[in-house]
Each structure stands twice: as C-alpha cells, then as structure tokens.
C-alpha cells in the first residue's frame, strides 16, 4: 500500500493514468478479523483504488493496489453465505478482502488488467 501526506492523496490519478471503472463495495481488511468498511472502488489502467466512506478524512480507509502486485485471486463468501467476496493475494503476502456485486465480472476485469501490465 502506498501512503502520502493525507489519505486521499493516493486516490489522485498519476500522469497518464485513466479511470476505467468505479463501483460501490466493501473492504473487509487485510486480516481475518478485519471490520467491514463500505466505500468506492476505482479501477484504473494501473491499479485498484479504494476510498472508504467517512466524514473524517484522516480516519478514512484508503488504499492503492497496483495490478502488478497481485499474484492471485479467489472467490469467497462473505459472512459464510454471501457470494460477493474476492481474496486478492499480493507479492508481499498481504491478502485484501474485497466485496463487490458482479464478482465474476470484476475478477475477470482485474485479470485482464493484470495481463496488460505484463
């Protein structure tokens, strides 16, 4: 994860970067006991961005995950029976737990972007 002076700084598009898709979803953290954080996923041509909802910017959950850092993904059920989860495994061993509608479509989209990154 990248960090800058304030959380929302990592959400700024880099020169030449394009937003491709924006959807609502939940982030369940990077640990098994992570709390549910509703927010917005922004998929660019280089990375996945997440901006959690919240009034206080300094406390908002945000992250930037380059497609090149992803080594694998797998579907999982949120709360044992809700089929919206995607476990995203990264090169450094971090596991991001993403929850979105149309999970299969989003997984295919992420894989397509990963392939383009080569």
């Amino acid at each position: 994860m990248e960090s800058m002076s304030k959380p929302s700084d990592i959400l700024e598009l880099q020169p030449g970067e394009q937003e491709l898709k924006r959807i609502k979803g939940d982030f369940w953290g990077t640990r098994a006991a992570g709390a549910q954080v509703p927010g917005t996923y922004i998929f660019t041509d280089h990375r996945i961005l997440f901006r959690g909802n919240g009034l206080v910017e300094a406390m908002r959950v945000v992250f930037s995950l380059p497609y090149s850092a992803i080594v694998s993904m797998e579907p999982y059920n949120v709360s044992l029976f809700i089929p919206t989860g995607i476990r995203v495994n990264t090169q450094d061993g971090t596991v991001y737990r993403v929850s979105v509608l149309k999970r299969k479509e989003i997984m295919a989209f992420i894989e397509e972007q990963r392939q383009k990154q080569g």
Side-chain angles (χ1 to χ4, degrees):
M1 270 198 283
E2 300 172 23
S3 61
M4 299 197 178
S5 60
K6 57 184 179 174
S8 63
D9 286 350
I10 67 170
L11 302 177
E12 293 180 17
L13 296 183
Q14 298 168 352
E17 184 176 24
Q18 293 183 312
E19 180 178 324
L20 303 176
K21 188 181 292 265
R22 182 181 292 243
I23 60 170
K24 299 284 184 192
D26 295 322
F27 177 60
W28 287 87
T30 56
R31 292 186 167 73
Q36 178 183 10
V37 178
T40 302
Y41 286 96
I42 302 162
F43 298 89
T44 75
D45 53 347
H46 291 99
R47 58 195 173 134
I48 301 169
L49 305 172
F50 177 79
R51 179 184 185 274
N53 297 341
L55 297 176
V56 181
E57 180 180 3
M59 297 176 69
R60 220 177 264 148
V61 173
V62 297
F63 68 81
S64 168
L65 179 59
Y67 297 116
S68 61
I70 299 171
V71 294
S72 65
M73 295 177 291
E74 59 190 9
Y76 81 100
N77 289 343
V78 175
S79 300
L80 301 177
F81 62 91
I82 303 170
T84 60
I86 305 169
R87 278 192 194 95
V88 179
N89 303 295
T90 65
Q91 292 172 346
D92 68 2
T94 303
V95 178
Y96 290 80
R97 295 181 311 133
V98 171
S99 178
V100 293
L101 296 177
K102 299 182 181 179
R103 166 176 71 183
K104 288 181 185 178
E105 176 185 313
I106 296 302
M107 288 179 72
F109 177 82
I110 293 170
E111 186 58 34
E112 178 183 330
Q113 296 308 309
R114 284 183 62 216
Q115 296 300 317
K116 288 179 181 178
Q117 297 295 308

